[in-house]
Amino acid sequence: MRSRTLTVSAAQLGPIPLSATRAETLARLIKLLEEAALEGTQLVVFPEAALTPFFPHWLVRDHDELHSYYDKNLPGTDTQALFDAARELQMAFVLGYAERAEDNRLFNTAVLVDENANIIHRYRKIHLPGFDAVQKDAPFQNLEKRYFEVGNLGFGVQSWRKTKIGLAICNDRRWAETYRVLALGGAELVCLGYNTPASTPHLPESDRLVDFQNHLSMQAGAYQNSMWVIGVAKAGTEEGVSQIGGSAINAPSGEIVAVARTLGDELVTTDIDLDMVTRYRRDVFSFSQHRRPEHYRSITEPVAR
Ligand code: CDT
């Protein structure tokens, strides 16, 4: 019997249409929680912006409409049912949402909620892709820089049960720094959600590689930092924008051990052995024995001998 095993689920969502009420969206999330409970899951990870359509994909002209996408109080009247269901099922979860902070600043945020429905960790997205200004002639927008500030909480690590968890959000997964900073903080498990278009208007040559690059980023992050990485999509065609699925649970070996097969609501569950992190960190990726930060510098001119 392994000493540190957790059962975890990636709760992929299909598209959330603009016409969906919050109650309808919450019902989908709660259904996935209930399915996960039947599978013995202890931690469910939902995608980025799991409560709303991914509104940075278009220009929202109406002030009231725009501000309806952000949640200020979590749990609030619109989200309490999710927290109640999770407490009832004794299930921890990670939830991505558009946050209006206490001081009214706007962030793309994820929270870790423990099995008693307490928010025990908060992360605000640091790597915001896209633009501040509307891109004319683009088939869809990516206005994250317009709608969110860069996260101001750094990459924190939170102890939970037998492990330490770090959060990241979507574009963060493409940056080596995300995983390395979290690993240096002691994270053994990184949970992240994403909304990733199946095409990149300004880099069409990468369109055939979108699924590959999604998995490549997470597998490399997991392997090079000896950590588990749970990546969860909001998939399918949402308000005309086609998004990839491929939600995946990635091991410290760099292998994908479980992956979504659809572009809809789908639960991907597996047991993860946290001692695998320890074994890899004792050997090939022992930071204390083999990492050489004192030698890491850029050299732009040849060094004179
Ligand atoms: N939501 C988000 O961060 N999406 C970006 C789109 C960038 S296109 C390469 C992502 O990295 O998936």
Side-chain angles (χ1 to χ4, degrees), residues 5-285:
T5 303
L6 281 175
T7 305
V8 296
S9 295
Q12 178 174 289
L13 290 175
I16 299 179
L18 263 174
S19 58
T21 64
R22 178 58 67 83
E24 286 166 348
T25 302
L26 235 52
R28 287 169 57 186
L29 272 63
I30 292 170
K31 185 163 177 272
L32 288 163
L33 278 186
E34 289 168 348
E35 268 178 57
L38 294 176
E39 298 186 5
T41 291
Q42 292 149 300
L43 174 69
V44 170
V45 183
F46 291 111
E48 172 189 38
L51 300 173
T52 58
F54 197 67
F55 59 93
H57 281 160
W58 62 90
L59 177 66
V60 185
R61 295 179 192 278
D62 183 81
H63 176 273
D64 291 346
E65 181 196 339
L66 178 61
H67 289 281
S68 73
Y69 295 125
Y70 299 90
D71 277 74
K72 185 158 190 173
N73 301 309
L74 204 74
T77 42
D78 277 2
T79 44
Q80 189 64 51
L82 177 69
F83 284 69
D84 291 346
R87 190 192 301 103
E88 185 75 20
L89 298 165
Q90 282 293 287
M91 184 96 63
F93 65 95
V94 172
L95 179 74
Y97 74 108
E99 177 191 13
R100 173 182 289 281
E102 287 291 301
D103 56 5
N104 289 321
R105 293 168 73 184
L106 306 174
F107 297 101
N108 187 341
T109 295
V111 287
L112 170 62
V113 182
D114 74 8
E115 55 277 25
N116 296 313
N118 300 309
I119 294 176
I120 58 170
H121 184 54
R122 179 180 301 273
Y123 168 70
R124 292 171 174 156
K125 184 174 181 178
I126 289 174
H127 299 102
L128 296 175
F131 305 91
D132 185 29
V134 169
Q135 302 300 292
K136 291 200 179 73
D137 305 327
F140 58 89
Q141 302 295 318
N142 187 344
L143 294 172
E144 283 201 58
K145 286 188 170 69
R146 185 184 190 97
Y147 294 143
F148 302 113
E149 284 186 47
V150 173
N152 59 354
L153 301 175
F155 285 108
V157 174
Q158 175 65 44
S159 295
W160 175 75
R161 290 205 174 189
K162 313 162 187 170
T163 192
K164 289 188 174 174
I165 296 182
L167 304 181
I169 301 177
C170 195
N171 194 259
D172 287 323
R173 76 193 186 290
R174 303 186 193 277
W175 298 88
E177 293 87 342
T178 298
Y179 306 94
R180 182 50 54 95
V181 172
L182 288 170
L184 289 170
E188 297 185 314
L189 168 59
V190 174
C191 303
L192 63 91
Y194 55 91
N195 282 265
T196 296
S199 66
T200 310
H202 296 96
L203 191 60
E205 71 190 65
S206 74
D207 286 357
R208 70 185 176 87
L209 301 170
V210 174
D211 289 300
F212 165 72
Q213 289 167 348
N214 172 41
H215 286 157
L216 175 70
S217 306
M218 297 192 289
Q219 290 178 257
Y223 174 62
Q224 294 180 336
N225 297 282
S226 307
M227 49 190 8
W228 287 92
V229 176
I230 304 176
V232 188
K234 169 122 64 63
T237 301
E238 188 180 75
E239 296 303 324
V241 180
S242 162
Q243 302 206 125
I244 63 166
S247 300
I249 301 178
N250 305 269
S253 59
E255 293 165 288
I256 294 177
V257 298
V259 65
R261 298 286 171 206
T262 72
L263 292 178
D265 292 7
E266 181 180 347
L267 199 68
V268 177
T269 300
T270 193
D271 290 343
I272 63 171
D273 171 13
L274 295 163
D275 287 335
M276 194 172 176
V277 172
T278 316
R279 292 195 295 278
Y280 269 79
R281 285 186 182 169
R282 245 191 335 241
D283 195 85
V284 64
F285 288 115

